[in-house]
Each structure stands twice: as structure tokens, then as C-alpha cells.
Amino acid sequence: NSEVILNSTDDIGYMVVNVTGFTGVGDVNISVSNQAINQSAIYIGNITKYLINITNIGLTTITNLTVRDNYDTDYNYSNAIPITADDVNYTSRIAIWNNISVDLASGQSYSLVVNLSVIAWAPSVTNIVNVTARNSSGGSVNVSSIAASVSIFEADKPYVEIVAPSIAIGNYSGSAIWANVSSSDSGS
């Protein structure tokens, strides 16, 4: 099961993209959400924050979590809160938190904020999270491929948007735009 909320904003105007995955067998069961929380426009050099929230929706206490964050090539791993990754492979773009010790009773959650530095322009940048939860009896469950995507813009690239009958100047990234524009004084 999954839930997708796109193009929503929170109470301070940040764009929120939320994807939630549910899975579980028997007593071990978790819900994982991966939210990209950003300003309405993300530029090269900005930090994109991903909020990973893991909720125990099973019957037993979860005692251990492993989180694997596969981040896009347009990002560099910066840091994470409340704990830094145990291993970061900058070539493969993977950050791993092994054996996060928790004591999550049914209904309780654990949150991890991953900060990724934007290093390149992209129309869509994806962050994919995989989580494994274990209880003290050795039972486990894995939720995989929970993805959240955002768009990154280049602030210094000009673009022309033709909105008949006027022309608006803004920013554009990608192929060159050529336009022949003539103007005349309308007398006003």
C-alpha cells in the first residue's frame, strides 16, 4: 500500500512531497514515510531536507532499525539528524545507518532528517529509502523503495516565457531559446 501527496504546502510555505509505504507480517509491522521538505524553489547550493519517519504499527516492540538512503546523483550527502550515517558511499550515492538502537512500542515513531546538498540542476531529483525493522525475538520486516522527488532550478540561467501578447523574463535551464522579438510603442 502507498499514499502519495503532491504539491502540498505546510503552514510556512514549504513544498512537501510525501510518500508512505506500509508492510509487515505477523507481529512486526511498520509504516515508513519519506518527505522532501523544501522551499518552493530549490537551487544549486541549497540543502534539501528529507524527513524519514518510521512508525511501529505492529504488535511487538521494535528494537533495531537499518536505514538505507539511495540519493540522486544531483546530490551530495551533507549530514543527518539525530545521528550521522554509519557509512556513506559518495560514488554509489548511498548513506546507511546500521543497527539504530530504538525502543519503539506499537504506535511510536522514529524520525531521521537527511540533509543533501544540491550539486546539479535536474528537472526531477529522487531520494529512495529502504528500512528494515527488527524486534527482540528476531522477527523483521523490510519496507523498500519509498521515494520522494523534487525539482531543482538554476538561478542564473535566463529564460523567456512568451505569454501572448507579452513577454516575461525569468530563469531557464536546458537548451538555448532563440526568439525574434519586435516591439512597438502602443502610445500609452
Side-chain angles (χ1 to χ4, degrees):
N1 297 325
S2 64
E3 167 189 336
V4 179
I5 303 169
L6 297 173
N7 298 326
S8 62
T9 57
D10 65 10
D11 58 346
I12 57 173
Y14 284 87
M15 178 177 62
V16 177
V17 178
N18 183 26
V19 180
T20 305
F22 308 94
T23 193
V25 185
D27 294 340
V28 182
N29 200 350
I30 60 174
S31 167
V32 178
S33 67
N34 183 16
Q35 291 182 323
I37 305 172
N38 302 294
Q39 297 175 352
S40 58
I42 304 165
Y43 298 100
I44 295 172
N46 289 156
I47 296 290
T48 303
K49 294 177 184 254
Y50 286 92
L51 172 63
I52 302 164
N53 191 59
I54 304 150
T55 302
N56 181 355
I57 57 174
L59 303 175
T60 63
T61 298
I62 292 174
T63 57
N64 182 276
L65 297 169
T66 298
V67 177
R68 179 183 173 113
D69 187 337
N70 296 52
Y71 56 94
D72 201 282
T73 57
D74 299 303
Y75 283 136
N76 268 341
Y77 173 84
S78 247
N79 60 26
I81 301 169
I83 59 173
T84 191
D86 295 314
D87 183 34
V88 179
N89 185 320
Y90 291 94
T91 304
S92 300
R93 304 285 195 225
I94 298 170
I96 299 173
W97 292 260
N98 288 308
N99 302 315
I100 300 171
S101 181
V102 294
D103 189 18
L104 296 180
S106 183
Q108 292 183 324
S109 297
Y110 178 84
S111 294
L112 179 66
V113 176
V114 179
N115 296 307
L116 301 174
S117 176
V118 179
I119 60 171
W121 170 85
S124 181
V125 179
T126 303
N127 184 55
I128 299 173
V129 175
N130 299 289
V131 177
T132 301
R134 295 175 197 81
N135 66 13
S136 61
S137 303
S140 68
V141 66
N142 181 274
V143 176
S144 61
S145 299
I146 306 303
S149 298
V150 297
S151 295
I152 298 171
F153 305 97
E154 283 188 279
D156 59 347
K157 298 287 183 178
Y159 74 86
V160 176
E161 179 181 355
I162 300 174
V163 181
S166 63
I167 295 177
I169 304 298
N171 292 316
Y172 175 80
S173 182
S175 300
I177 292 180
W178 296 96
N180 291 323
V181 179
S182 60
S183 63
S184 61
D185 187 350
S186 64
S188 52

